[in-house]
Amino acid sequence: MRLSRPNEPDIRDSLPDRDLLSQLVAGDPGALRFLRKRHETAIYALVYALLSDVVDTEHVVSETFLELSRECTTGDPAESVHARLRRIARGRAQELRRSRVQRRIRAGSA
């Protein structure tokens, strides 16, 4: 597959999410870059609304896209890529919030 030049549009910009996901399953790491470019802002907003911390948000967003690449062959085929990303991001953010609370509780009892 030919890579596009910096100012030249890439055909993958216009592909549906499902096609990009199929490319990711087939081993094309560039597909994840296009999915991230397409969905990162919305996922960032969701996670930041839950965590209110820039560093934690950036970490969770990165982990979300890595998790998508790991589970791309096992997820519910009826679930949209955006819904899958939201589910992963929300779960990761909630895990991080719970661990924060646990650390505060342990610090307070020490």
Side-chain angles (χ1 to χ4, degrees):
M1 181 181 300
R2 183 178 72 80
L3 295 176
S4 64
R5 294 191 180 115
N7 294 328
E8 182 180 316
D10 190 301
I11 187 77
R12 291 182 288 188
D13 279 330
S14 61
L15 288 177
D17 286 349
R18 292 258 176 236
D19 291 350
L20 288 170
L21 194 59
S22 294
Q23 288 181 1
L24 187 58
V25 168
D28 178 4
L32 184 61
R33 187 177 72 243
F34 282 91
L35 287 168
R36 186 168 182 148
K37 182 174 138 182
R38 188 174 291 169
H39 294 283
E40 185 171 39
T41 302
I43 299 305
Y44 187 96
L46 168 70
V47 174
Y48 188 79
L50 294 169
L51 299 176
S52 301
D53 181 273
V54 171
V55 173
D56 286 344
T57 296
E58 290 172 357
H59 176 74
V60 168
V61 169
S62 290
E63 286 294 317
T64 296
F65 283 94
L66 287 174
E67 181 64 26
L68 176 70
S69 71
R70 288 190 290 264
E71 79 161 34
C72 65
T73 59
T74 60
D76 177 1
E79 185 178 33
S80 74
V81 171
H82 186 73
R84 190 179 294 194
L85 287 166
R86 288 178 58 84
R87 176 180 48 77
I88 294 167
R90 189 177 295 113
R92 293 235 175 219
Q94 289 169 342
E95 286 172 18
L96 186 58
R97 268 197 333 211
R98 279 193 295 271
S99 70
R100 278 187 193 161
V101 169
Q102 291 299 319
R103 280 194 305 261
R104 280 192 221 126
I105 290 171
R106 280 186 287 239
S109 65

